[in-house]
Amino acid sequence: MLCSVKPKILIGLAGLAMAGSVPQAMAQTQARTNELGTQGGIGIQYGLGNRFARLGVHYETPSFWTHSFGGSLGRVDLTPEIGLAYWQAHDGQQPASAWQISAIPMFRWWMGASQRFYVEAGAGPTVFNRTSFAGKNYSTALQFGDHIGMGYLLDRHSRVGVRFSHYSNADIKTPNPGMEVIQATYSYQF
């Protein structure tokens, strides 16, 4: 009888020790997550397309949602970006400029144990101040932005990356030539 009680006590003690370590591990994971990229921030993007250049600024909220995979698989964050951009056409094409506002939910997968490298993807609505720009008719002021990119967290506050973006009206109305731009990004996290 004594032999059967000892293993149960040992299992119970081990269970208590593990249960006591779970909140501590969760707090450490949360602190690491907060340290590496889920706080809000502001950013700047500069991009080039075949007919234009784009300069944008954005405000990034703290993450709305985070899922940690643990270990070297990292975590995924959902972080909304609210942006304003100015577009300038090349080679005297008319209309020569356009303004844009956007609201894009971005998913970022922070990879590896250090969670400094990320890949990102997002899609959302964007509105231009005109329906024609750089010698093309885009039919609607409402466009949708699709983004994929990657980047690196330099330190607690600075993040750099590259992003490919495609804007089109999702065939709401024709013509729908779309616009594509490759952008360099910098974000300062609070």
Side-chain angles (χ1 to χ4, degrees):
M1 172 132 176
L2 187 56
C3 291
S4 66
V5 172
K6 230 183 215 183
K8 289 180 184 177
I9 292 172
L10 290 174
I11 291 171
L13 289 173
L16 283 174
M18 287 173 38
S21 68
V22 168
Q24 181 182 0
M26 288 176 64
Q28 288 173 344
T29 299
Q30 186 60 40
R32 179 75 173 151
T33 298
N34 288 342
E35 176 186 324
L36 291 178
T38 61
Q39 61 271 31
I42 56 173
I44 188 165
Q45 303 133 354
Y46 179 74
L48 294 172
N50 62 351
R51 303 170 69 87
F52 41 76
R54 179 185 188 272
L55 179 63
V57 294
H58 70 267
Y59 168 73
E60 190 174 290
T61 74
S63 295
F64 277 12
W65 173 83
T66 297
H67 176 75
S68 180
F69 296 107
S72 63
L73 292 178
R75 74 175 197 278
V76 173
D77 292 340
L78 173 59
T79 307
E81 287 183 4
I82 310 299
L84 174 68
Y86 177 76
W87 295 70
Q88 180 67 50
H90 298 313
D91 302 326
Q93 297 177 37
Q94 296 297 321
S97 64
W99 287 93
Q100 170 195 26
I101 58 172
S102 60
I104 309 291
M106 294 298 293
F107 284 95
R108 286 193 188 91
W109 178 18
W110 297 88
M111 295 182 208
S114 69
Q115 296 183 15
R116 290 195 175 275
F117 177 76
Y118 67 89
V119 293
E120 65 182 0
T126 184
V127 177
F128 284 82
N129 70 322
R130 58 181 67 231
T131 58
S132 62
F133 166 65
K136 289 197 175 188
N137 179 3
Y138 295 96
S139 300
T140 62
L142 173 67
Q143 301 280 311
F144 296 93
D146 302 318
H147 313 279
I148 57 170
M150 65 180 148
Y152 188 77
L153 186 65
L154 298 171
D155 60 36
R156 185 173 183 265
H157 295 291
S158 296
R159 190 176 78 226
V160 294
V162 63
R163 181 184 286 181
F164 172 79
S165 300
H166 170 79
Y167 298 94
S168 74
N169 69 18
D171 287 329
I172 293 171
K173 188 175 178 184
T174 56
N176 181 27
M179 295 179 278
E180 293 168 345
V181 62
I182 295 180
Q183 303 175 88
T185 65
Y186 170 79
S187 296
Y188 177 83
Q189 301 179 145
F190 304 126

